[in-house]
């Protein structure tokens, strides 16, 4: 997105099925981290009866799985990965060090996959109904940033996950990845105001 020799910006927007699935599991397993990221709408948290040590282990393993899911290139596994039965190709966990998580997520496979498929499809339909809107939102934010700073935007990459979260807002979930509430993403003026500080930080 830029002519030859000019700075380039690459923005990828999605509602990734693996990310949706990871957040669904976070909720049904009673995992708190990342603390700042709201829960998914309409998915009740379920009471857990594991002890503190077991919960701490599960939380640590989920955080590692989350990092690999959001930005796999930045968080490669030190050991080989293995697909988890029941999750199609959507979940791969390290062969070592993920036993608690693998065991805890197994009973939720069918409902987690179904949820991630329907949420992804909802995003796809909404995006298809407004072709070009996505590009224009980012292009106008970058143009406004360039006017404010009096120079071309630096080259940068940004991944945007549009998610059905219970609170409206924008959160960093990786070094190059933000989560945006679907309701905010659909509100042109509010999204424009919310994405400006992100663009300013990168460009």
């Amino acid at each position: 997105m830029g002519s030859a020799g000019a700075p380039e910006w690459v923005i990828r927007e999605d509602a990734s099925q693996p990310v949706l699935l990871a957040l669904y599991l976070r909720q049904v397993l009673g995992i708190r981290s990342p603390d700042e990221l709201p829960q998914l709408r309409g998915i009740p948290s379920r009471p857990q009866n594991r002890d503190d040590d077991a919960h701490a282990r599960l939380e640590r393993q989920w955080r590692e799985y989350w990092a690999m899911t959001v930005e796999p290139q930045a968080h490669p596994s030190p050991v080989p990965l293995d697909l988890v039965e029941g999750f199609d190709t959507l979940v791969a966990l390290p062969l070592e060090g993920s036993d608690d998580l693998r065991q805890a997520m197994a009973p939720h496979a069918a409902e987690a996959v179904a949820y991630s498929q329907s949420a992804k499809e909802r995003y796809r339909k909404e995006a298809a109904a407004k072709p070009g809107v996505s590009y224009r939102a980012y292009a106008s934010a970058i143009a406004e940033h360039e006017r404010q700073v009096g120079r071309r935007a630096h080259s940068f990459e940004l991944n945007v996950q549009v998610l059905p979260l219970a609170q409206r807002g924008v959160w960093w979930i990786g070094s190059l990845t933000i989560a945006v509430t679907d309701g905010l993403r659909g509100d042109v003026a509010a999204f424009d105001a919310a994405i400006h500080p992100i663009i300013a930080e990168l460009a």
Side-chain angles (χ1 to χ4, degrees), residues 145-172:
H145 173 70
E146 290 178 338
R147 277 194 295 277
Q148 287 175 358
V149 297
R151 61 163 173 79
R152 295 293 307 273
H154 299 308
S155 298
F156 70 89
E157 278 185 52
L158 178 65
N159 302 306
V160 181
Q161 292 290 336
V162 182
L163 304 171
L165 300 170
Q167 284 172 258
R168 212 168 140 107
V170 178
W171 299 266
W172 283 102

Side-chain angles (χ1 to χ4, degrees), residues 117-195:
Q117 283 171 339
S118 71
K120 166 81 177 182
E121 183 61 17
R122 193 164 58 246
Y123 166 79
R124 194 193 63 71
K125 282 182 177 164
E126 286 170 6
K130 297 178 277 189
V133 168
S134 171
Y135 175 84
R136 282 197 301 277
Y138 300 110
S140 72
I142 289 166
E144 178 60 27
H145 173 70
E146 290 178 338
R147 277 194 295 277
Q148 287 175 358
V149 297
R151 61 163 173 79
R152 295 293 307 273
H154 299 308
S155 298
F156 70 89
E157 278 185 52
L158 178 65
N159 302 306
V160 181
Q161 292 290 336
V162 182
L163 304 171
L165 300 170
Q167 284 172 258
R168 212 168 140 107
V170 178
W171 299 266
W172 283 102
I173 56 172
S175 55
L176 299 173
T177 308
I178 58 170
V180 178
T181 323
D182 52 0
L184 176 61
R185 184 64 189 89
D187 182 332
V188 174
F191 180 71
D192 197 46
I195 201 69

Side-chain angles (χ1 to χ4, degrees), residues 31-83:
I31 289 167
R32 288 179 294 276
S33 58
D35 290 332
E36 67 281 0
L37 192 65
Q39 305 235 308
L40 295 167
R41 282 193 310 274
I43 309 297
S45 292
R46 302 184 191 172
Q48 306 297 327
N49 58 359
R50 62 183 82 93
D51 65 39
D52 290 350
D53 288 347
H55 189 80
R57 275 198 314 276
L58 186 66
E59 193 128 348
R60 178 179 49 74
Q61 291 172 21
W62 185 87
R63 279 197 305 271
E64 289 167 3
Y65 155 59
W66 174 242
M68 286 191 301
T69 301
V70 172
E71 292 184 346
Q73 289 84 10
H75 299 279
S77 172
V79 298
L81 297 175
D82 187 35
L83 291 174

